[in-house]
Amino acid sequence: MSYLIPVVTSADATPLEMKLARVIRDNLAKYQPDLQRRQHQGVVNLISSTTPFNVTISLFPDKVMVRRGTQDNAKISLSGDLAAMDNPNLSFKQKRHWHHPRFTRFVQQLIRQELRPWRVAAEEFFECVHEQVDVDISVKVKSKGEDPYFEWGSGSEPVLISSSSKALQRLFDKQSILIEEVVRGNIHCHSSIRTTALLSELTLNRLLGGL
Amino acid sequence: MSPTPFKGESSLDQWLDRHHVRRIRTFVTNLDGFSLGKYCNREKFLGALPNGHNIADVALAADAASIPHFTFWHTFRHSVMGDILLKPDLDTLVSDIKDNDLGHVICDFANLDGSAINLCPRTKLKQVVQAVSDNGFQVKATCELEFFLFENSFDDARVKQYQNLDPIGSSPLETIYFLRDSYRAADFMNEVIKRLEWYGIQWEAWNDENGHGQIELNLVPTEPVTLADSVVRSKQIIFETATDMGMSATFMAHPQRGFSNGMHIHHSLLSGSTPVFFDSNKPDNRSDLLLHWVAGLIDTMPAAVSYLCPTINSFRRFREFSAPPMTATWGEENKSTGIRLISKSPSTTRIEHRVGAGDLNPYLAIAAILAGGLSGLTRKIAPPPECAALGWGLPEDVPRLPRSIMEAARALAQDQALKTILGSEDVDYWIKSRRHDWLNFHSSGNDPDDSKPSQWEYERYFNIL
């Protein structure tokens, strides 16, 4: 049985807050920590070194809250590039309250993104796609001299997605939405506007966890 | 075949000749309430009748910055990006007051075969009005248009990044009904009124409103689609008059500190010519029908907020004791509740819906209100107790209306009553368009809790809405 502990964001949470909440949710489920333990409770300020946004993570025995801004009663403050939440090697520096090493390690574990191999994520993505869009997707991966080619589905419209494995990993691991990668030139998606929109919506829903 | 008589002339051609019209400006309102259209020469316009001329389908499927809606879909759209039509409503054809050979006509978005596109805001309102009519009633409605007027031209405002503008008026205080402030705006408003009357838009009164440089214009109650047409035309007239006079005006909900622009919507129901909200045999003259209608409005109000407050900026209005209602409540002559009821005499009995922001799309907002009332009527539900106290400062356990564009979108997503009447696909598309704006706002580095509107909001809304 998975460890179901709510990770709460405000109603008007930003995409960054929601992404952070998703990462924490995944890690909580993965590590199943006991938040009843006092050394795992407290308020953390995440100070962004690159954007005007700071975020507070409050760890309670029964829930975790992600909120915009900082709080004066924070147990620790970490600074780092919040805008680079896509980066699996994201690192934060401890700004003050250095005397909570265990808590700091715990928090860093909670906000660390551990990306799955893209093929694993892609399988999950395509299962989700086939439930909602009637398309026949082919994926061409170009990286490090490799050029593997994958095909999924047997729908009415052929779709060819061609990209580096890095961009695909972001897409399939719920880090980005299709149309953004297409517009940035990272992914080439040969399909109708309709299918691109529907696939983008699916990736957006996965990123935000629905409405 | 003899030509069809048109507005007192033997034909449309004759009418165009009589009014010296050689060019026609088509005018349509998209989801966000922006005015779009083309200037057509007369031959092109007449040749395209009755279905109208082509326009790219993204005109109805793009955001304020004309970025196509790439992350959601509607069945009216073409899978390779194609054209749809602007279908003119010839009853709305008028000649221009300044441009001697120009005419104006209001249109609906339509499919290439001329059939209706349900997502079109004007078409949607027509459908809801028809649904009310199918239940045996006609609607009479009106709007209070609030806007801010500045001495600065639109160009000047843009150069100043919409900061520290000079609002019209003489008082540094946030006065209301202040005749000295009104006098300062009189030249502008006289020109606006002259143009409104030329275009057949009936008005009742205008006055200095609370905010610095804020003016309120009241239109005469009429049939809902005509009213919404008058609202979008009035907004265009106010924009054009301000441009011509080297000034600027905005319907943006909250462009500066202090009071905000609302758009209160009044409506009443008639059966034939008989008002049906009033019943002298009932307590407080409130008919059963009125109470069901109010119940529907209250029940759907959190969901309707999405249509009544459509932008990120709309929600900056909401503060306790600052004029906009905070709760889904109602009360007789109560201006602090979501619904103000006025039920003293048959001819004036009406409902004032006070939630709407100045930046709302009048077609969709009125459609959402009528759909809410109609849902109460068909379900015959009873309203919650009347709020006899102030609707502000209520205990924390009294639910507040949604406070952000996403909260409102979620409330709408969960409301089956509005979806049933407004159409699920169209409501879902609207919800996704709100999420699109919300994402765009946040990914541009903005914070809805900032005390001041962001440049993103000014650039998107100041002179477009």
Side-chain angles (χ1 to χ4, degrees):
Chain A
M1 188 178 159
S2 61
Y3 190 85
L4 294 174
I5 184 161
V7 181
V8 183
T9 57
S10 59
D12 59 352
T14 62
L16 173 68
E17 290 167 68
M18 301 226 290
K19 191 185 282 185
L20 187 58
R22 183 186 55 72
V23 170
I24 294 172
R25 206 173 285 129
D26 284 351
N27 286 332
L28 281 173
K30 204 179 298 169
Y31 301 121
Q32 304 192 4
D34 183 0
L35 291 183
Q36 302 288 344
R37 290 163 64 185
R38 200 167 56 84
Q39 62 266 42
H40 286 172
Q41 294 170 28
V43 175
V44 184
N45 286 335
L46 289 187
I47 313 289
S48 174
S49 57
T50 51
T51 70
F53 295 122
N54 301 319
V55 177
T56 300
I57 304 171
S58 306
L59 297 161
F60 299 111
D62 57 347
K63 68 177 172 186
V64 177
M65 292 171 73
V66 178
R67 288 279 186 275
R68 204 171 306 136
T70 55
Q71 286 185 18
D72 293 338
N73 63 340
K75 201 165 169 180
I76 60 168
S77 290
L78 301 176
S79 77
D81 185 3
L82 270 178
M85 280 296 291
D86 292 350
N87 182 357
N89 301 316
L90 182 69
S91 66
F92 282 90
K93 288 178 185 165
Q94 194 169 344
K95 277 195 83 175
R96 57 191 173 111
H97 304 293
W98 51 269
H99 50 280
H100 293 292
R102 195 177 295 174
F103 183 63
T104 303
R105 273 201 304 277
F106 175 65
V107 171
Q108 285 183 324
Q109 186 183 43
L110 272 192
I111 61 177
R112 185 187 305 132
Q113 296 197 77
E114 293 192 2
L115 301 178
R116 293 163 292 171
W118 81 266
R119 286 181 186 81
V120 177
E123 288 286 357
E124 182 198 307
F125 175 73
F126 283 106
E127 272 177 31
C128 161
V129 166
H130 284 144
E131 286 174 9
Q132 297 177 57
V133 190
D134 182 23
V135 288
D136 189 352
I137 300 183
S138 303
V139 180
K140 206 170 185 176
V141 191
K142 298 172 179 172
S143 62
K144 293 180 183 173
E146 296 173 12
D147 194 10
Y149 188 86
F150 301 90
E151 287 187 44
W152 280 272
S154 54
S156 60
E157 183 187 338
V159 178
L160 173 64
I161 294 176
S162 152
S163 154
S164 68
S165 61
K166 193 176 171 187
L168 284 175
Q169 180 138 21
R170 278 200 297 270
L171 179 70
F172 298 146
D173 250 335
K174 310 175 187 176
Q175 306 294 317
S176 65
I177 62 176
L178 179 64
I179 192 65
E180 281 179 1
E181 298 286 1
V182 170
V183 169
R184 287 176 191 149
N186 298 329
I187 289 181
H188 176 74
C189 178
H190 188 73
S191 71
S192 65
I193 296 284
R194 171 184 173 275
T195 298
T196 307
L198 292 175
L199 291 177
S200 294
E201 183 178 353
L202 284 172
T203 57
L204 182 59
N205 287 341
R206 280 156 47 89
L207 184 68
L208 299 180
L211 258 182
Chain B
M1 197 172 80
S2 59
T4 311
F6 183 79
K7 293 191 172 189
E9 302 294 339
S10 60
S11 67
L12 170 61
D13 231 13
Q14 189 77 38
W15 186 93
L16 294 172
D17 281 344
R18 176 86 68 189
H19 292 82
H20 313 289
V21 172
R22 295 178 56 232
R23 296 172 295 126
I24 291 97
R25 184 175 80 183
T26 54
F27 185 128
V28 73
T29 304
N30 74 0
L31 283 182
D32 286 300
F34 303 154
S35 307
L36 311 175
K38 288 185 181 180
Y39 285 72
C40 305
N41 75 38
R42 178 167 160 171
E43 290 67 37
K44 163 84 177 170
F45 177 76
L46 291 174
L49 290 176
N51 286 343
H53 67 70
N54 287 37
I55 192 168
D57 63 359
V58 288
L60 183 56
D63 68 9
S66 295
I67 296 172
H69 292 152
F70 276 129
T71 54
F72 45 106
W73 195 252
H74 192 285
T75 48
F76 91 86
R77 292 171 68 179
H78 296 271
S79 60
V80 287
M81 245 191 214
D83 272 352
I84 51 175
L85 298 175
L86 288 197
K87 190 172 187 176
D89 178 346
L90 292 176
D91 288 341
T92 66
L93 185 61
V94 289
S95 60
D96 192 90
I97 188 170
K98 281 174 54 196
D99 201 343
N100 286 336
D101 59 3
L102 182 67
H104 303 283
V105 69
I106 291 180
C107 305
D108 291 71
F109 289 105
N111 291 305
L112 286 175
D113 62 3
S115 60
I117 293 176
N118 294 334
L119 186 66
C120 168
R122 190 169 190 265
T123 303
K124 182 61 63 188
L125 178 56
K126 284 197 247 179
Q127 291 170 343
V128 176
V129 169
Q130 184 59 49
V132 177
S133 175
D134 292 344
N135 280 269
F137 305 109
Q138 295 77 50
V139 182
K140 217 171 170 183
T142 189
C143 289
E144 301 172 7
L145 281 77
E146 292 179 351
F147 60 97
F148 286 95
L149 183 62
F150 299 99
E151 303 274 14
N152 315 72
S153 68
F154 280 110
D155 287 342
D156 186 31
R158 180 173 46 77
V159 169
K160 296 180 81 168
Q161 296 195 304
Y162 310 98
Q163 304 301 312
N164 303 315
L165 302 184
D166 303 315
I168 196 93
S170 60
S171 169
L173 305 174
E174 290 199 301
T175 51
I176 185 169
Y177 308 126
F178 203 57
L179 286 179
R180 294 181 185 189
D181 278 351
S182 304
Y183 185 73
R184 295 280 293 270
D187 283 350
F188 174 83
M189 286 307 294
N190 288 343
E191 183 60 29
V192 167
I193 297 301
K194 192 170 81 181
R195 296 184 189 193
L196 290 177
E197 290 177 344
W198 175 272
Y199 294 119
I201 297 169
Q202 295 183 292
W203 64 285
E204 280 183 341
W206 69 270
N207 61 273
D208 164 52
E209 251 296 338
N210 255 136
H212 288 304
Q214 193 178 27
I215 290 168
E216 176 176 315
L217 171 65
N218 304 138
L219 302 180
V220 172
T222 184
E223 181 275 327
V225 178
T226 306
L227 170 72
D229 288 346
S230 297
V231 170
V232 295
R233 271 193 163 147
S234 298
K235 289 174 72 169
Q236 181 71 14
I237 287 167
I238 288 165
F239 169 82
E240 290 176 5
T241 307
T243 302
D244 293 347
M245 295 178 72
M247 303 167 81
S248 57
T250 186
F251 286 82
M252 188 176 170
H254 190 75
Q256 58 188 16
R257 287 173 66 113
F259 286 93
S260 310
N261 284 327
M263 195 180 291
H264 302 159
I265 298 173
H266 298 246
H267 68 285
S268 59
L269 251 57
L270 305 167
S271 176
S273 57
T274 308
V276 292
F277 280 166
F278 185 89
D279 186 343
S280 57
N281 297 317
K282 296 284 183 181
D284 297 319
N285 303 319
R286 296 166 184 168
S287 67
D288 291 341
L289 185 147
L290 169 67
L291 294 175
H292 293 318
W293 192 270
V294 168
L297 292 177
I298 296 292
D299 183 54
T300 58
M301 192 178 284
V305 167
S306 186
Y307 289 107
L308 294 160
C309 304
T311 70
I312 298 275
N313 188 255
S314 308
F315 291 89
R316 296 192 188 279
R317 282 172 72 228
F318 288 111
R319 280 179 296 122
E320 301 276 347
F321 296 99
S322 69
M326 304 294 290
T327 52
T329 47
W330 66 285
E332 182 78 30
E333 278 297 1
N334 193 337
K335 290 193 171 192
S336 63
T337 48
I339 298 293
R340 172 189 170 212
L341 190 61
I342 301 122
S343 59
K344 295 298 178 212
S345 76
S347 62
T348 60
T349 293
R350 64 189 187 278
I351 287 166
E352 180 186 7
H353 203 295
R354 295 179 57 82
V355 177
D359 52 10
L360 58 73
N361 178 329
Y363 297 105
L364 293 176
I366 298 171
I369 289 174
L370 297 182
L374 188 58
S375 78
L377 195 59
T378 51
R379 291 180 288 161
K380 297 206 180 307
I381 53 177
E386 182 176 356
C387 176
L390 262 187
W392 298 305
L394 292 171
E396 282 185 9
D397 58 345
V398 177
R400 273 16 183 208
L401 291 170
R403 294 294 303 277
S404 73
I405 194 168
M406 282 308 293
E407 240 185 88
R410 285 191 196 98
L412 180 58
Q414 290 161 10
D415 191 298
Q416 286 309 312
L418 285 191
K419 275 191 179 176
T420 302
I421 296 172
L422 297 175
S424 271
E425 186 185 18
D426 302 327
V427 169
D428 286 345
Y429 195 86
W430 169 263
I431 289 168
K432 287 167 187 170
S433 72
R434 298 310 93 189
R435 181 169 76 172
H436 172 87
D437 262 21
W438 173 82
L439 270 174
N440 207 316
F441 174 79
H442 286 300
S443 53
S444 305
N446 300 296
D447 188 333
D449 295 334
D450 270 354
S451 57
K452 280 171 53 181
S454 61
Q455 281 302 310
W456 185 93
E457 290 162 79
Y458 285 115
E459 284 162 16
R460 212 168 175 93
Y461 305 131
F462 187 91
N463 59 359
I464 298 178
L465 282 166

